[in-house]
């Protein structure tokens, strides 16, 4: 790949200015324009869609201060079960390599309020970093970060966080230092009478525990980033049809394929990125029919009129009419 500046549309061609290993499995990438020009502003908690060297498109959280305009910083964990994305970032995204990126529409955005509880597990600290920096800038914000990991050596940004002078607002819990015992976060989620906003990200087990323990919280006070992929299909899924609103064309969606799979099989090229129901890139307008929503992106108020075709389906095998 050759160096380039800004591309057309919402995309950018960015160069790896620097990289460093945060842990044995997590690498940080400092991405900049080749001409040194400014980058589009981003909101703290946002993520970046990256066309990795393997050509897989992946979402990575922006970790740097949202006031910075000269760079985007992401941290990528090398996954043992990688389909190519994280592995290619570690093995091929060396200094000087250029690839396409795009600011994503999803992310862990700050809620409207003054009290905030952040819970991160392992690599789940990445979406918290820019958010934490923003919260810490305003002395009126009361916040606490609880960072859970197996050990300090396996905790990205642990040293940087310790140097930020957060005092009692920062709590580390490394299970290796506690006989392997994980911290039970459920007691601190019992009461939301203070109007606290909750933010969480981490492994599936932690996500499930916090999700269930905060089920009684007002939904507008709960914010999370889901890293693990959602399955596009499940055992027992029924076949159904999709009608294209603009043309009336009918697409057959098999029980073992997604709506995106069906459209591609017929020669269409719908926009998509994560294909796990988390980034919002493939969002379509739901004109008619009842959708079986399986994504982690759409807000409740958006679900009657939108669908994420990478994971969501029809209820009961009935036809869906979509605008795409």
């Amino acid at each position: 790949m050759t160096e380039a500046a800004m591309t057309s549309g919402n995309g950018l061609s960015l160069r790896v200015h620097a990289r460093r290993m945060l842990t044995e499995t997590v690498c940080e990438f400092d991405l900049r324009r080749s001409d040194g020009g400014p980058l589009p502003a981003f909101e703290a908690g946002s993520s970046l869609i990256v066309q990795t060297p393997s050509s897989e498109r992946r979402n990575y959280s922006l970790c740097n201060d949202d006031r910075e305009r000269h760079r985007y910083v992401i941290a990528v964990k090398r996954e043992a079960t990688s389909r190519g994305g994280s592995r290619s970032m570690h093995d091929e995204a060396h200094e000087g390599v250029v690839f396409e990126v795009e600011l994503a529409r999803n992310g862990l955005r700050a809620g409207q309020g003054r009290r905030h509880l952040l819970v991160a597990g392992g690599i789940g600290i990445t979406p918290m970093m820019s958010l934490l920096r923003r919260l810490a800038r305003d002395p009126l914000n009361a916040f606490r970060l609880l960072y859970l990991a197996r050990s300090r050596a396996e905790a990205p940004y642990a040293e940087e966080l310790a140097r930020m002078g957060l005092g009692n607002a920062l709590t580390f819990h490394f299970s290796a230092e506690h006989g392997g015992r994980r911290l039970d976060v459920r007691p601190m989620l019992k009461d939301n009478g203070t109007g606290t906003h909750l933010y969480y990200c981490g492994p599936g087990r932690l996500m499930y525990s916090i999700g269930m323990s905060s089920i009684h919280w007002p939904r507008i006070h709960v914010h999370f980033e889901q890293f693990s992929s959602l399955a596009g299909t499940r055992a027992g899924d029924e076949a159904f049809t999709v009608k294209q609103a603009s043309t009336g064309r009918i697409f057959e969606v098999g029980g073992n394929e997604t709506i995106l799979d069906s459209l591609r099989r017929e020669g269409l090229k719908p926009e998509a990125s994560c294909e796990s129901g988390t980034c919002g890139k493939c969002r379509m307008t739901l004109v008619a029919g009842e959708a079986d929503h399986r994504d982690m992106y759409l807000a409740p108020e958006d679900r009657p009129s939108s669908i994420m075709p990478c994971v969501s389906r029809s209820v009961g095998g009935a036809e869906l009419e979509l605008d795409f």
Side-chain angles (χ1 to χ4, degrees):
M1 287 177 281
T2 58
E3 293 191 9
M6 193 173 296
T7 65
S8 60
N10 297 321
L12 297 168
S13 290
L14 298 188
R15 177 178 178 268
V16 179
H17 175 77
R19 54 177 281 168
R20 63 172 175 142
M21 295 302 295
L22 302 177
T23 71
E24 288 188 356
T25 60
V26 179
C27 186
E28 179 190 80
F29 298 88
D30 179 330
L31 309 177
R32 307 187 185 194
R33 284 180 52 173
S34 298
D35 61 6
L39 296 171
F42 70 92
E43 185 177 352
S46 297
S47 59
L48 197 67
I49 301 172
V50 176
Q51 177 118 16
T52 66
S54 69
S55 295
E56 299 280 349
R57 289 166 62 86
R58 294 289 180 266
N59 276 52
Y60 298 116
S61 300
L62 286 162
C63 303
N64 53 312
D65 193 310
D66 64 338
R67 294 173 297 184
E68 294 184 336
R69 293 293 175 268
H70 66 292
R71 65 174 185 164
Y72 292 149
V73 176
I74 60 174
V76 180
K77 181 178 181 180
R78 186 185 187 109
E79 299 288 353
T81 57
S82 171
R83 292 180 294 172
S86 70
R87 184 173 64 248
S88 71
M89 289 293 289
H90 276 247
D91 294 346
E92 302 176 49
H94 304 296
E95 291 184 11
V97 167
V98 175
F99 41 72
E100 300 299 307
V101 307
E102 180 183 342
L103 283 174
R105 289 171 289 179
N106 70 320
L108 202 63
R109 309 300 173 82
Q112 298 298 315
R114 288 298 186 183
R115 302 181 65 86
H116 310 269
L117 172 62
L118 295 75
V119 185
I123 192 63
I125 191 62
T126 55
M128 305 290 182
M129 293 301 295
S130 61
L131 181 62
L132 182 67
R133 291 185 173 100
R134 176 183 172 186
L135 294 175
R137 290 201 302 264
D138 188 340
L140 295 180
N141 284 326
F143 63 90
R144 180 183 180 190
L145 169 63
L146 179 59
Y147 188 7
L148 317 176
R150 187 178 298 112
S151 67
R152 185 176 294 273
E154 298 172 87
Y157 294 115
E159 293 183 4
E160 182 173 338
L161 287 166
R163 293 194 299 266
M164 288 176 66
L166 299 176
N168 294 332
L170 172 63
T171 300
F172 290 117
H173 182 89
F174 303 121
S175 57
E177 299 176 5
H178 297 272
R181 293 191 303 275
R182 294 182 172 91
L183 184 67
D184 186 0
V185 300
R186 292 174 296 180
M188 68 181 66
L189 300 175
K190 285 184 178 180
D191 182 21
N192 185 37
T194 59
T196 301
H197 281 259
L198 170 66
Y199 312 82
Y200 62 99
C201 183
R205 180 173 177 175
L206 177 67
M207 297 292 289
Y208 179 79
S209 176
I210 296 178
M212 294 303 295
S213 299
S214 61
I215 197 70
H216 59 289
W217 286 48
R219 290 298 89 191
I220 60 172
H221 285 187
V222 179
H223 319 270
F224 59 89
E225 182 84 352
Q226 184 82 30
F227 282 164
S228 58
S229 297
L230 302 175
T233 59
R234 302 171 185 170
D237 278 343
E238 298 181 69
F240 63 100
T241 59
V242 166
K243 180 180 179 181
Q244 186 176 25
S246 60
T247 66
R249 185 178 177 184
I250 301 297
F251 298 86
E252 303 286 341
V253 182
N256 62 348
E257 65 178 350
T258 67
I259 296 174
L260 291 184
D261 291 335
S262 172
L263 300 183
R264 288 167 177 158
R265 177 165 46 77
E266 295 300 320
L268 275 64
K269 297 180 179 180
E271 280 196 300
S273 178
C274 70
E275 301 198 26
S276 63
T278 61
C279 80
K281 184 73 173 179
C282 67
R283 182 174 181 170
M284 293 181 178
T285 299
L286 176 61
V287 178
E290 184 179 0
D292 175 9
H293 293 288
R294 301 180 179 182
D295 65 280
M296 303 293 289
Y297 178 83
L298 291 174
E301 60 269 22
D302 294 329
R303 297 197 165 200
S305 60
S306 296
I307 188 173
M308 305 308 300
C310 60
V311 292
S312 297
R313 306 181 67 80
S314 162
V315 172
E319 183 176 274
L320 296 178
E321 184 175 353
L322 307 180
D323 186 12
F324 56 90

